Amino acid sequence: QKEVEQNSGPLSVPEGAIASLNCTYSDRGSQSFFWYRQYSGKSPELIMFIYSNGDKEDGRFTAQLNKASQYVSLLIRDSQPSDSATYLCAVTHHFGNEKLTFGTGTRLTIIP
Amino acid sequence: NAGVTQTPKFQVLKTGQSMTLQCAQDMNHNSMYWYRQDPGMGLRLIYYSASEGTTDKGEVPNGYNVSRLNKREFSLRLESAAPSQTSVYFCASGSRGTDTQYFGPGTRLTVL
């Protein structure tokens, strides 16, 4: 069983709609959770991190964490064509551990 | 403020050749990392360095060596390149207080 699982997609969402990306993890002790965006041929770019259960909002992005169910999600409101990218979920197993375990990513396409 | 820089951007090697990938960061981070990214496999940690003078193996260390030259620089060496090492290599540096990591632009390596 993979430690961090994501649906590889592609996920197609109309422009202006909400894109919902999901990630599950197997280690119940995981502490820190991250979302990276990666455009084709480019490096991963950190867009959100969350440590506590609940929601964290930053502009059009909302990260949601549910430790009891072991999932973390990313919502993108008012999706734009520039949001088309692969989104990587990553977790650390202990706070301050620093080593990230990545999922394989979900490819998101925003349809104009 | 360049963030994380990597050289070279592209490299083609023949089987058995050696080379060193260079990485430098100017964010005063203690931690630095080397990852490889392969289609369908996601980002996998090769080696990391929690502080100057220390290095530790990650998930896929075989065939690689690293040197943490100083706080800014972390190099990855392939002593005898193999076709299985064809990949995109990313260096990252991290802030221990938040577990966040920031990536360099990557090196695309092909081993023939």
Side-chain angles (χ1 to χ4, degrees), chain B residues 39-74:
Chain B
M41 300 293 290
L43 280 158
R44 292 182 293 169
L45 183 65
I46 304 171
Y47 270 95
Y48 70 103
S49 171
S51 62
E52 185 179 349
T54 67
T55 60
D56 283 291
K57 295 179 180 179
E59 181 185 353
V60 288
N62 291 344
Y64 305 96
N65 285 302
V66 291
S67 295
R68 183 73 183 268
L69 305 171
N70 48 55
K71 190 172 185 178
R72 290 187 62 249
E73 298 173 290
F74 189 38

Side-chain angles (χ1 to χ4, degrees), chain B residues 1-5 24-29 72 93 102:
Chain B
N1 191 347
V4 181
T5 57
Q25 53 95 6
D26 63 3
M27 294 181 283
N28 200 35
H29 287 155
R72 290 187 62 249
S93 71
Y102 300 90

